[in-house]
Amino acid sequence: MPIQTAGFIEEFFRVTKLTYDSIDFNKAIENEYPNFISTLSSIVTIASELGNFNYAEQTIKRYADIVKNKGYHYIILCELYCKYYWNKLDYEKSIEWGDKGLLLLKQSEADITVDIEHTLYLAKRDSRNKERIKEALDFFLRGYSLYDIINDNIQEELPSYFYGNIGRCLYLSNDFNNALICYQKTFTLVYKEEISNRYINRGYIAYWLGQLLNKMGDYKNAYFFYSICIFYWKRYSPHRISRVEDELVILLRETPEATELKKIDIDIIEGLCKSYCSNTISS
């Protein structure tokens, strides 16, 4: 099992960083080093997720220095910047680079495998612009009926982020009840996945559930999900934690049982969160 998938993100980053810091990017491209581009993308993504934005940007600029035209490598550059700025929460710049890269990709006849469209619509969703959120929802539905996604049983062959991205669009459109259904399906699925970013994704969906339940006045369960988010993001995405902790501090002021909640072990909290989601979507 690759060390990324096994959950050793920091070790993967340390080893690949040492390797790529000593690589001549020109030679790597000229000699078509295997997996050079995919690993470069992973380095930039992981560095950004860990909050090491300076290193992520330096690495992108090293790559940009060897891009000669607006062909294949420029499209990859657009994808790298699109992901970098989305992780940095600069959605306008992420959209700018994503739009640019997607246009070139559609104009190109080359067989280029990139994930720029997905990141672009993440940025459009998170921009909180009503029209962009609608665009993002249409994209994330992938042709499925929204009614069926909400009302049908969970489809376990779908990735957890499928329901999560739809739920986030619904939440940002103030459709809280249907967002909750999608979030609960996501939380159930994310614990069954063995992918490299599963721990960051557990943090995302726990944060979204905490945020939503907080708005709905379910402070106890909101506290549980916020706690799970902090548990995972503290290690795998530390730059995101401050906003979660700020929301949690405010929530605890509103919760009479705050002192007792703080005594509950994180493993017990995680079990309670799993039960909350699986019991609701199966009832």
Side-chain angles (χ1 to χ4, degrees):
M1 179 184 289
I3 58 175
Q4 266 186 290
T5 308
F8 301 110
I9 297 295
E10 299 101 323
E11 183 63 12
F12 172 82
F13 179 64
R14 186 188 68 81
V15 172
T16 52
K17 180 179 180 297
L18 285 172
T19 304
Y20 271 61
D21 283 349
S22 62
I23 282 180
D24 182 322
F25 280 17
N26 260 316
K27 286 184 179 179
I29 289 173
E30 287 172 5
N31 295 301
E32 299 182 353
Y33 287 7
N35 303 315
F36 173 74
I37 296 298
S38 61
T39 306
L40 176 67
S41 179
S42 293
I43 290 172
V44 170
T45 299
I46 294 169
S48 300
E49 287 169 345
L50 292 172
N52 194 344
F53 292 111
N54 288 336
Y55 182 78
E57 188 173 27
Q58 288 168 13
T59 304
I60 296 173
K61 285 181 177 178
R62 283 183 65 199
Y63 181 67
D65 286 343
I66 64 169
V67 174
K68 309 297 184 189
N69 53 52
K70 293 196 174 181
Y72 168 76
H73 288 290
Y74 189 80
I75 293 172
I76 297 297
L77 180 65
C78 290
E79 180 187 29
L80 292 175
Y81 269 125
C82 184
K83 286 183 177 180
Y84 167 75
Y85 281 117
W86 177 71
N87 272 300
K88 206 174 180 185
L89 313 183
D90 189 340
Y91 303 126
E92 292 305 317
K93 284 188 179 178
S94 178
I95 291 168
E96 178 185 338
W97 280 99
D99 279 336
K100 195 186 304 184
L102 186 59
L103 178 62
L104 289 171
L105 181 63
K106 289 179 176 178
Q107 291 173 344
S108 172
E109 295 181 359
D111 183 16
I112 302 174
T113 303
V114 292
D115 199 23
I116 194 167
E117 195 170 17
H118 184 83
T119 308
L120 171 60
Y121 281 102
L122 289 176
K124 287 190 173 188
R125 177 199 71 192
D126 294 339
S127 71
R128 296 178 181 255
N129 174 282
K130 186 182 293 186
E131 292 304 315
R132 288 174 176 171
I133 293 170
K134 176 64 169 62
E135 286 180 53
L137 178 59
D138 291 341
F139 172 78
F140 291 130
L141 278 168
R142 300 286 189 179
Y144 284 86
S145 156
L146 180 59
Y147 177 88
D148 291 342
I149 292 303
I150 291 166
N151 292 285
D152 286 357
N153 292 332
I154 189 170
Q155 298 186 46
E156 298 203 5
E157 70 277 8
L158 291 171
S160 63
Y161 63 76
F162 174 81
Y163 289 105
N165 287 326
I166 292 169
R168 191 61 175 170
C169 290
L170 295 174
Y171 171 83
L172 293 171
S173 302
N174 295 318
D175 186 352
F176 296 155
N177 290 330
N178 287 327
L180 180 58
I181 293 170
C182 291
Y183 284 174
Q184 289 171 319
K185 291 179 179 181
T186 303
F187 194 87
T188 299
L189 286 177
V190 81
Y191 278 89
K192 299 179 180 181
E193 292 177 332
E194 294 293 331
I195 57 176
S196 61
N197 60 347
R198 64 188 181 278
Y199 296 126
I200 289 176
N201 287 346
R202 288 180 190 181
Y204 266 117
I205 190 56
Y207 174 53
W208 292 349
L209 274 159
Q211 199 176 46
L212 175 56
L213 292 168
N214 191 9
K215 275 187 178 290
M216 298 176 78
D218 187 349
Y219 300 129
K220 181 178 178 179
N221 281 312
Y223 170 82
F224 290 155
F225 284 105
Y226 276 136
S227 299
I228 293 298
C229 173
I230 291 170
F231 174 76
Y232 284 109
W233 277 0
K234 188 170 288 184
R235 178 176 178 184
Y236 296 101
S237 195
H239 76 284
R240 291 188 169 94
I241 284 183
S242 60
R243 57 177 172 170
V244 188
E245 290 178 331
D246 289 345
E247 291 178 31
L248 186 56
V249 167
I250 295 169
L251 178 146
L252 288 172
R253 290 180 194 152
E254 305 294 323
T255 311
E257 52 196 327
T259 304
E260 293 304 312
L261 291 176
K262 290 179 182 178
K263 296 177 183 177
I264 303 176
D265 182 79
I266 192 65
D267 291 331
I268 294 174
I269 287 176
E270 195 161 37
L272 291 170
C273 288
K274 289 179 182 179
S275 296
Y276 174 83
C277 290
S278 60
N279 291 344
T280 303
I281 61 177
S282 62
S283 60

